[in-house]
Amino acid sequence: MLRIAAAGDLHCSEGRYEHVCQAVAALQGSADIVLLAGDLTTYGEPQQAQVLSDACAQLEIPVLAVLGNHDCHAQRRDELVEVLENGGIQVLEREATICQVGELEVGVVGHK
């Protein structure tokens, strides 16, 4: 059995820090992989991405994401991706990856 946690339109911001951290922490032990579909931030600012990065850094499961239109508002895509990846989030953009989840190999394709 593979347990997938999936969400989109998180719209993380500094004011939602505690809420995001609590929601992500609840995934530990109840999901095998996390898929995040766009609009991870409110306006695409790196400090908003830091909220999600901090929350996901505590997870011991793969976290994969694609960016959405809100993540591009500030035109700071590279900075945003760097912050997310520092928290263990793999950002996919027109690419695929295979994750080892227990004894399973899970293929994921990401496209904005």
Side-chain angles (χ1 to χ4, degrees), residues 2-109:
L2 177 66
R3 301 169 300 170
I4 301 171
D9 295 298
L10 298 175
H11 296 279
C12 292
S13 66
E14 298 91 328
R16 299 189 63 227
Y17 188 90
E18 291 300 321
H19 176 76
V20 172
C21 287
Q22 289 173 357
V24 170
L27 298 175
Q28 191 67 43
S30 63
D32 300 310
I33 189 169
V34 179
L35 305 177
L36 301 174
D39 292 350
L40 308 174
T41 64
T42 304
Y43 300 112
E45 297 291 346
Q47 61 270 27
Q48 295 170 345
Q50 190 66 54
V51 171
L52 184 58
S53 180
D54 288 351
C56 290
Q58 64 189 322
L59 293 177
E60 297 175 3
I61 57 178
V63 180
L64 296 100
V66 295
L67 301 180
N69 65 309
H70 281 254
D71 303 316
C72 299
H73 283 315
Q75 298 180 10
R76 298 177 76 181
R77 182 218 170 271
D78 293 343
E79 292 172 80
L80 195 78
V81 170
E82 182 179 351
V83 169
L84 294 170
E85 289 178 344
N86 286 340
I89 301 166
Q90 184 175 358
V91 179
L92 300 174
E93 190 168 337
R94 297 181 183 208
E95 57 191 328
T97 191
I98 297 175
C99 296
Q100 190 71 35
V101 180
E103 296 179 13
L104 299 173
E105 286 186 343
V106 179
V108 180
V109 177

